[in-house]
Amino acid sequence: MISTVTASGLSLRYGGTPALDGVSLRLGEGVTGLLGPNEAGKTTLLRVLATAVPADRGAFTVLGHDPATSAGRQEVRRALGYLPQTPGFHPDFTAFAFVDYVAILKELTDRAARHREVRRVLDAVDLGDVRGRRIKRLSGGMRQRVALAAALIGDPGFLVLDEPTVGLDPEQRMRFRELIAQAGEGRTVLLSTHQTEDVALLCRRVIVMVAGRIRFEGTPAELTDRAAGRVWSSTERDPGARAGWRTGTGSFRNLGDPPAGAALLEPSLEDGYLLTLDDADAEVAA
């Protein structure tokens, strides 16, 4: 894998709590999913890579640029598109005015060329027809697409997306997946999400973080394989299972170490993810 983003030993503490604890990674072209529970450090990692906050220790590069220097940091920001979990919209801005404002911040100074670029990215997210509408009058899905258009300004080589499908209905989520898949063609995308389905459908690679550390990095298929032989069906919840729930058929799906003769099930990516979290918790407890 040709890496376009590399990080080594990134650590950051808030008070006495480690938000990042020696994070090292390599990202290549395409979409990489970032999974983890709340307070795993995902958003902190994204903010560090976006140069929004500095790490206490460690180093990283984006497209060969080192943000440790002022000039390198500026180059990273020029190469970056960032969609935070809560975009800071001014509700009275139109979609065009908001994206144009972001374009100005990204140093697109030629007005005619900048406006062509704003129209291009709004068309790319299928908002060209409503670019003059105020953001407060747009649906939640449309607002997310405005934020994605702003992140795509200047055709960045590295795109950072923090929970972009949260709060969207199934149709809006499907449309957004199409846009993310398109964005991953020819650039590096890091997608933080709680939706294992998004990772299964979109991502070439996946990273799982727990308590500021990377607990898994590989392909979605490799994460799924972590649950091979560890998922079984029963008529009642197995008391020896690490997790179990009743399915729509009335049977129970159990995760963990199956008893002898258990009816094993085909694992899913979600099964591999949940067992990775449970293994990490068991390691900490030990």
Side-chain angles (χ1 to χ4, degrees):
M1 178 181 70
I2 298 175
S3 299
T4 60
V5 178
T6 62
S8 176
L10 293 177
S11 297
L12 177 62
R13 299 179 75 89
Y14 292 122
T17 304
L20 299 178
D21 189 4
V23 170
S24 299
L25 54 79
R26 302 172 68 88
L27 304 178
E29 184 180 304
V31 184
T32 296
L34 181 61
L35 289 171
N38 291 332
E39 300 184 358
K42 304 189 303 298
T43 293
T44 299
L45 175 60
L46 298 190
R47 295 184 70 200
V48 168
L49 295 179
T51 73
V53 296
D56 296 331
R57 294 190 306 277
F60 70 97
T61 63
V62 174
L63 305 177
H65 304 300
D66 184 352
T69 67
S70 178
R73 190 159 51 252
Q74 188 68 18
E75 289 302 319
V76 169
R77 289 171 178 171
R78 287 171 177 159
L80 175 77
Y82 181 34
L83 194 166
Q85 187 171 355
T86 307
F89 294 122
H90 191 297
D92 285 324
F93 271 22
T94 64
F96 185 96
F98 176 77
V99 179
D100 188 46
Y101 174 70
V102 173
I104 292 171
L105 295 179
K106 295 197 75 171
E107 301 177 317
L108 278 66
T109 55
D110 182 278
R111 187 174 186 273
R114 187 179 73 244
H115 284 186
R116 284 196 298 272
E117 175 67 359
V118 172
R119 287 191 291 270
R120 180 189 73 82
V121 295
L122 286 170
D123 287 341
V125 299
D126 199 25
L127 290 178
D129 292 343
V130 298
R131 61 176 179 258
R133 189 178 300 176
R134 294 186 188 277
I135 289 175
K136 65 184 178 183
R137 300 191 182 281
L138 298 177
S139 68
M142 285 183 172
R143 292 183 187 186
Q144 284 293 82
R145 281 189 272 156
V146 171
L148 179 60
L152 291 171
I153 278 286
D155 195 23
F158 180 37
L159 191 59
V160 175
L161 308 176
D162 194 358
E163 299 284 354
T165 62
V166 68
L168 302 185
D169 64 34
E171 183 178 359
Q172 292 169 336
R173 188 175 296 121
M174 179 184 67
R175 173 60 177 148
F176 219 84
R177 284 176 185 150
E178 292 176 350
L179 296 173
I180 294 170
Q182 293 167 10
E185 297 174 3
R187 64 164 59 88
T188 298
V189 179
L190 183 56
L191 167 67
S192 175
T193 180
H194 285 291
Q195 303 287 339
T196 55
E197 186 181 10
D198 287 348
V199 173
L201 293 172
L202 290 170
C203 298
R204 298 183 185 182
R205 296 187 66 77
V206 57
I207 294 168
V208 178
M209 287 187 68
V210 182
R213 296 183 180 182
I214 290 178
R215 298 292 182 165
F216 173 85
E217 184 174 3
T219 66
E222 289 168 342
L223 181 56
T224 301
D225 285 345
R226 282 196 156 199
R230 303 176 71 189
V231 187
W232 71 99
S233 177
S234 61
T235 55
E236 297 181 352
R237 189 191 188 284
D238 194 315
R242 296 192 184 182
W245 58 91
R246 189 187 298 273
T247 68
T249 64
S251 63
F252 280 79
R253 186 179 185 90
N254 302 285
L255 306 182
D257 299 317
L264 296 180
L265 299 174
E266 190 73 19
S268 67
L269 185 141
E270 183 176 50
D271 295 328
Y273 168 59
L274 291 174
L275 286 169
T276 296
L277 299 186
D278 196 67
D279 288 344
D281 290 341
E283 180 182 324
V284 171

